[in-house]
Amino acid sequence: MKNIKILKLYLLILLLPGYLSLQAQRFDSVLSKLNIEYKQEKLYLHFDRAVYNPGETIWFKAYLFTGNYPSLISKTLYAELLDDKGKVLERKTAPVAMSSAAAAFDLPSNLPTSVVYVRAYTKWMLNFDSSFIYTKAIPILNSKQTANKSISLSQKTNPAVTTQQPIFLLQFFPEGGDLVQQVESRVAFKATNRTGMPINVSGDIIDSKRNKIVSFSSVHDGMGRFILKPNPNEQYKAVWKDLFGAVHETLLPVAKQNGVVLEVNNNSNQIEFKIKRSANGPLPYPFVYVVALMNQQLLYRAKANLGKTISVSGIIPLDSLPAGIVQVTLFTPDEKPIAERITFINQSASSFITDLNAALKDLGKRKKNVIQIDVPDTILTNLSVAVTDADLDPVQQVDNIFSNVLLTSDIKGYVHQPAYYFSSDADSVADHLDLVMMTNGWRRFKWENVLANSWPKILYHPENYLAIEGQVSGLNKTLLANKEVNAVIELKNKKREFMNTPVLANGKFVFPDMLFYDTARFFYQFNNDKNKSLTSRANFEIKNNLLKGALQLQPDSFLLFSLTKPDTVTLVKNIEIYKEQLSELQKVKILKEVVITAKQKSKQEIMDEEYTSGLFSGGDSRIFLPEDDPAFLSSQSILNYLQGRAAGLQISVSSGTPSITWRGSPTALFMNEISLDAAAIESIPMSDVAMIKIFSPPFFGAFGGGSGGAIAVYLKKGATGTQMSKGLDYVTIAGYSPVKEFYSPDYSTADQSGNADYRKTLYWNPFVITDKTHRRILLSFFNNDITKKMKVIIEGCNEDGKLTRVEKVLQ
């Protein structure tokens, strides 16, 4: 019967007079503009381990989202390594493929600090609130300072060990924002110590005559709630005890004489809300607007009439919605927000299952292991995999891909151990998460600003990978008219590529959509400029489109609270192994020397090393060399030659423009790692080709993730660009940061008489891809000399934005 009444009220709200339709258009237009022109990105980073020693490598994979879906906005990731004082130690740039990127930081061997920060962002993110830029504090187990620093961290989180008088803070958060006289409200609270860490408290709410009104006590991480109906002209306060028994008094917010209270209850597949006003006093508003959003998308809007009733209820259905934060806001008739509540919906449909099993497990010294990953979904899935020594990296991570993407990346302030709220479907955990919602704010945009048409100022536009940008000065418009710039780009491996682009009337020119690493030499001159007479008269300013400097932002102090601190046993083990590693390094040998006696490289491997770079090196690919196949030079064209030579690759050259697909998806084409169309590839003389390389999908060197794989054609050195670059002026242009490959020894072929193997990360693979034809993946690696328990963590998402995470210990 109750549900029937609520449904009637819900229908009444929706069927109120036509003025609602005008306001609905207003909200629609504002939200449409916000969602189309001002979509916001967020990042999550999966690290190979939770703690590190100086001199080690931090490996990470970045996942980029817009709302809860993979972002298609940015194509370049920026990442910075900072010391404990915020000084930038290292900076990396990486291309974004399949809404993700990977890189690594090398910690200095003489690093004196016990904590570093990793910060990651895109250029587009800099247009919005900097507090949403991804930053993580990572503990460094430094043998010289760890003991002292561990005490320091303990002091920050436990005031009992300090010599100063402990200071505690108790904050109150009326549901919806305000207390209103004579209206019953739920009041949440949060208790912390002087540094912001949660503490347990208990006490009483008393009035001005010190009469007890209600008792309260924290139920989880210093948070709790109670119900209060404020009387007119009354000031309430809390009398409470901290965890050491000391008594404190804290004033509650003063109740408004007139206003509305918003109450929100999240009940499985629907959100129930109630709007209440005082039965006495003047009517605060004849009606209010109710608007519910999720990721800046409108879920619900209604007009609630308060003229004839003191409370109005409604239902917001949640069918087919993903997991995440829903923002419910009340507006006055003149569109001023007066109450707001966020609530979390945890839909199981927002995740997918990843099965992890040990196909071959051998914990013996330097023995081979194989893990099997099965993803039942048929859509494209992007995973990262870390295998570590469970005894040296046993720390329970306080944050993960679920808690970050769905929770902490969307709210301001510190959330203690956010991964807990996704550890179970128990009602108690959901209730604790609702306390987080009541004590934190969602502020990716402010209603006051967008309704007043005050929009973020866009200073940084998204990059479509690398671009070489130029400005010509010193020539008048007549001389610049219809001019073109010829250029030859020469990569580190001496590969060259000819390019041409028009010069605009203002002297600007650009070579867009480029992908190269480290640095390249860029030779240039005007087209048809004999003896460089015009080129020599002009001034050229040439640069790439990457951000030039690190962010000038200091890490927030609350990040230290989220440090994953190891226990004493783990600490001692890490330091012992660290000292052993230093001892090995002093012998002038490093672990890589163990595999120097590996088998002789094949002709294909030699050519691959000589001609390829970055994401084009290695990979799941096949290499074709002219000298290996008599049919190569006798073929009419490259595409004719490749027909039928790779399973799944469909090539049609019968008529018109050639068509190349891999199981229905377009195949990316490259010449010397520069993107070309099929007609250009078709026109390359077979005699100029040094090597052809076919990449199975997905290929991350292609725009959009390369779901159709790629064909990379390499010309014989000197076949193009060499003569063109002679005598030309040039500048050196920086590309993306050089790629560092994770080292994993192959003890099946290597000489094992070398140094001791103390690797803490046994395996790291930032790009494990599954799709409808590759739903089972086998990954092999070798144990070190000491590991007896292996911890495997898999995280990732699919192209629909669903998340996955698996953590398993093999022993």
Side-chain angles (χ1 to χ4, degrees):
M1 188 68 182
K2 177 182 177 183
N3 289 337
I4 294 176
K5 290 181 179 178
I6 292 175
L7 180 60
K8 288 179 178 178
L9 283 171
Y10 171 61
L11 292 174
L12 175 64
I13 292 172
L14 290 180
L15 297 174
L16 281 172
Y19 182 61
L20 173 60
S21 64
L22 298 177
Q23 292 304 117
Q25 294 175 12
R26 165 84 170 145
F27 284 118
D28 279 350
S29 64
V30 165
L31 291 173
S32 176
K33 184 179 179 71
L34 188 68
N35 196 51
I36 294 174
E37 299 181 30
Y38 301 98
K39 281 185 177 181
Q40 296 191 39
E41 292 180 312
K42 54 187 177 182
L43 278 163
Y44 169 71
L45 268 59
H46 176 196
F47 295 90
D48 64 313
R49 303 208 309 273
V51 296
Y52 298 87
N53 290 108
E56 294 183 330
T57 299
I58 298 176
W59 302 93
F60 65 89
K61 162 82 168 286
Y63 293 90
L64 184 61
F65 295 86
T66 301
N68 292 350
Y69 296 94
S71 175
L72 302 178
I73 298 175
S74 297
K75 293 295 185 288
T76 296
L77 173 80
Y78 298 86
E80 295 160 359
L81 177 70
L82 292 76
D83 66 11
D84 57 342
K85 295 179 176 60
K87 178 184 176 183
V88 176
L89 301 175
E90 194 175 3
R91 187 170 187 256
K92 294 293 179 73
T93 57
V96 172
M98 290 184 64
S99 305
S100 60
F105 289 120
D106 292 320
L107 294 171
S109 57
N110 59 347
L111 186 67
T113 180
S114 62
V115 63
V116 296
Y117 300 91
V118 172
R119 179 166 62 204
Y121 54 94
T122 66
K123 185 183 285 188
W124 178 250
M125 291 171 68
L126 301 183
N127 295 305
F128 306 99
D129 191 335
S130 62
S131 62
F132 290 106
I133 290 175
Y134 180 92
T135 311
K136 184 179 179 64
I138 297 176
I140 303 300
L141 305 183
N142 193 314
S143 60
K144 296 180 181 179
Q145 293 193 8
T146 298
N148 294 331
K149 289 291 183 179
S150 62
I151 294 174
S152 175
L153 285 172
S154 176
Q155 289 174 338
K156 290 181 180 179
T157 58
N158 182 2
V161 302
T162 68
T163 58
Q164 303 176 14
Q165 180 68 26
I167 298 175
F168 300 97
L169 178 66
L170 180 61
Q171 297 174 281
F172 294 97
F173 304 86
E175 186 171 17
D178 294 311
L179 291 172
V180 177
Q181 295 177 9
Q182 296 296 311
V183 180
E184 187 176 88
S185 298
R186 293 186 296 198
V187 181
F189 62 88
K190 178 166 63 175
T192 62
N193 65 15
R194 64 188 179 90
T195 62
M197 293 295 289
I199 61 168
N200 292 322
V201 297
S202 61
D204 299 319
I205 304 299
I206 62 174
D207 61 17
S208 57
K209 298 179 181 178
R210 302 195 73 82
N211 295 316
K212 174 182 172 182
I213 306 301
V214 64
S215 297
F216 67 91
S217 61
S218 54
V219 296
H220 178 72
D221 281 345
M223 298 179 295
R225 67 169 73 86
F226 56 85
I227 295 176
L228 180 67
K229 186 176 182 179
N231 288 323
N233 305 316
E234 186 62 78
Q235 174 65 69
Y236 298 92
K237 68 172 60 174
V239 180
W240 53 282
K241 291 183 178 181
D242 61 37
L243 67 168
F244 302 112
V247 178
H248 306 262
E249 292 190 1
T250 303
L251 292 175
L252 267 67
V254 176
K256 288 186 173 182
Q257 184 177 356
N258 207 10
V260 295
V261 168
L262 172 64
E263 180 181 306
V264 172
N265 293 291
N266 189 348
N267 296 320
S268 62
N269 63 342
Q270 63 186 26
I271 294 173
E272 298 176 4
F273 66 86
K274 181 181 289 187
I275 306 165
K276 299 180 288 186
R277 68 171 180 87
S278 175
N280 304 317
L283 186 66
Y285 315 103
F287 61 87
V288 294
Y289 296 109
V290 187
V291 175
L293 304 180
M294 187 178 193
N295 295 321
Q296 301 182 180
Q297 297 276 352
L298 182 66
L299 298 182
Y300 175 93
R301 61 170 178 259
K303 178 181 175 184
N305 194 338
L306 297 172
K308 297 181 180 180
T309 180
I310 61 172
S311 69
V312 175
S313 299
I315 294 174
I316 303 173
L318 302 178
D319 296 339
S320 303
L321 289 179
I325 294 174
V326 173
Q327 175 189 8
V328 183
T329 310
L330 302 184
F331 295 88
T332 63
D334 58 350
E335 299 180 347
K336 293 181 180 178
I338 52 171
E340 186 169 273
R341 167 79 144 88
I342 59 174
T343 186
F344 192 89
I345 58 172
N346 197 0
Q347 306 284 66
S348 59
S350 294
S351 62
F352 65 93
I353 296 173
T354 298
D355 289 325
L356 169 64
N357 294 287
L360 174 63
K361 183 179 70 174
D362 191 338
L363 298 176
K365 180 178 178 180
R366 306 189 181 188
K367 295 300 183 181
K368 184 177 181 178
N369 290 264
V370 179
I371 57 174
Q372 176 180 307
I373 300 172
D374 291 283
V375 178
D377 286 354
T378 59
I379 64 174
L380 195 65
T381 299
N382 186 0
L383 307 173
S384 46
V385 181
V387 183
T388 60
D389 187 320
D391 287 325
L392 298 175
D393 188 40
V395 180
Q396 183 70 31
Q397 295 190 0
V398 299
D399 198 9
N400 59 42
I401 193 169
F402 281 94
S403 61
N404 181 277
V405 174
L406 302 179
L407 178 61
T408 56
S409 62
D410 278 334
I411 59 178
K412 286 190 175 182
Y414 173 65
V415 178
H416 190 60
Q417 297 184 339
Y420 159 78
Y421 301 105
F422 299 86
S423 62
S424 168
D425 294 329
D427 291 341
S428 60
V429 175
D431 184 64
H432 297 163
L433 178 54
D434 195 53
L435 289 174
V436 174
M437 297 291 97
M438 294 184 71
T439 57
N440 285 271
W442 191 95
R443 281 295 179 270
R444 280 198 171 268
F445 73 91
K446 293 182 178 180
W447 273 114
E448 298 93 328
N449 292 340
V450 298
L451 289 174
N453 284 317
S454 177
W455 304 99
K457 188 175 181 180
I458 301 302
L459 300 175
Y460 303 95
H461 294 278
E463 299 145 322
N464 192 15
Y465 296 104
L466 289 172
I468 296 179
E469 301 170 339
Q471 174 70 60
V472 180
S473 60
L475 300 179
N476 59 40
K477 290 185 178 180
T478 302
L479 292 174
L480 283 175
N482 302 316
K483 286 294 182 289
E484 296 178 338
V485 171
N486 293 338
V488 174
I489 187 168
E490 181 183 82
L491 304 181
K492 278 286 188 178
N493 59 5
K494 301 302 180 182
K495 287 187 303 182
R496 297 180 178 91
E497 180 61 35
F498 172 76
M499 301 180 293
N500 173 273
T501 194
V503 179
L504 302 180
N506 60 5
K508 293 184 181 295
F509 62 89
V510 62
F511 293 91
D513 306 335
M514 305 190 72
L515 187 64
F516 63 92
Y517 296 84
D518 205 340
T519 58
R521 293 204 297 176
F522 183 82
F523 299 86
Y524 60 92
Q525 78 167 39
F526 285 118
N527 189 28
N528 296 323
D529 184 21
K530 292 183 179 180
N531 301 319
K532 296 173 46 182
S533 58
L534 190 62
T535 303
S536 60
R537 291 171 55 189
N539 295 317
F540 286 80
E541 181 184 352
I542 302 173
K543 60 184 180 179
N544 65 29
N545 61 332
L546 299 177
L547 288 171
K548 294 302 179 283
L551 291 188
Q552 300 303 310
L553 290 174
Q554 287 295 312
D556 288 327
S557 58
F558 71 78
L559 291 168
L560 291 173
F561 307 155
S562 61
L563 277 177
T564 51
K565 297 179 285 294
D567 56 31
T568 303
V569 174
T570 303
L571 189 62
V572 171
K573 285 183 179 179
N574 269 278
I575 292 176
E576 288 177 351
I577 296 301
Y578 177 50
K579 290 179 178 178
E580 291 290 341
Q581 288 175 316
L582 291 178
S583 176
E584 291 293 323
L585 287 173
Q586 290 171 358
K587 299 176 182 178
V588 194
K589 289 186 177 181
I590 60 174
L591 184 58
K592 277 193 175 182
E593 291 178 335
V594 173
V595 295
I596 285 178
T597 57
K599 64 180 182 179
Q600 185 176 359
K601 293 179 181 178
S602 66
K603 188 186 304 180
Q604 284 81 3
E605 289 172 329
I606 294 172
M607 291 289 286
D608 192 56
E609 289 183 2
E610 180 181 353
Y611 277 85
T612 66
S613 63
L615 295 175
F616 290 84
S617 298
D620 183 7
S621 61
R622 289 185 61 190
I623 291 176
F624 299 89
L625 303 176
E627 58 266 34
D628 290 344
D629 188 355
F632 193 101
L633 292 176
S634 61
S635 296
Q636 295 180 3
S637 68
I638 292 172
L639 298 182
N640 281 116
Y641 172 73
L642 292 178
Q643 284 181 312
R645 296 184 183 272
L649 182 65
Q650 301 295 319
I651 300 176
S652 175
V653 292
S654 56
S655 62
T657 303
S659 170
I660 307 99
T661 60
W662 200 309
R663 297 190 175 93
S665 298
T667 300
L669 303 175
F670 299 88
M671 182 186 75
N672 292 348
E673 299 176 4
I674 303 295
S675 179
L676 290 181
D677 59 22
I681 293 291
E682 184 78 348
S683 66
I684 297 174
M686 295 297 287
S687 59
D688 285 349
V689 177
M691 177 177 72
I692 300 175
K693 192 171 183 180
I694 297 179
F695 294 89
S696 300
F699 174 60
F700 295 111
F703 301 138
S707 59
I711 298 173
V713 178
Y714 293 88
L715 303 187
K716 294 175 182 178
K717 293 186 177 181
T720 183
T722 304
Q723 295 299 322
M724 186 65 198
S725 65
K726 285 185 178 180
L728 297 186
D729 295 328
Y730 75 89
V731 294
T732 299
I733 299 289
Y736 289 118
S737 301
V739 176
K740 179 175 182 177
E741 294 185 10
F742 179 81
Y743 170 67
S744 184
D746 183 356
Y747 286 127
S748 65
T749 60
D751 178 4
Q752 300 192 29
S753 61
N755 289 12
D757 184 351
Y758 294 125
R759 288 172 299 128
K760 297 173 187 174
T761 300
L762 303 173
Y763 183 80
W764 167 252
N765 191 334
F767 290 110
V768 176
I769 310 301
T770 68
D771 56 23
K772 61 183 179 182
T773 59
H774 300 87
R775 291 191 286 177
R776 171 170 290 180
I777 303 293
L778 296 174
L779 304 174
S780 62
F781 57 92
F782 289 83
N783 193 13
N784 56 24
D785 293 345
I786 58 173
T787 294
K788 301 302 179 186
K789 291 192 299 183
M790 299 176 182
K791 180 167 69 174
V792 184
I793 294 180
I794 301 173
E795 292 189 319
C797 69
N798 62 25
E799 60 184 353
D800 286 342
K802 293 183 179 181
L803 307 176
T804 192
R805 187 178 193 275
V806 180
E807 180 173 342
K808 183 178 287 189
V809 174
L810 306 178
Q811 57 185 337

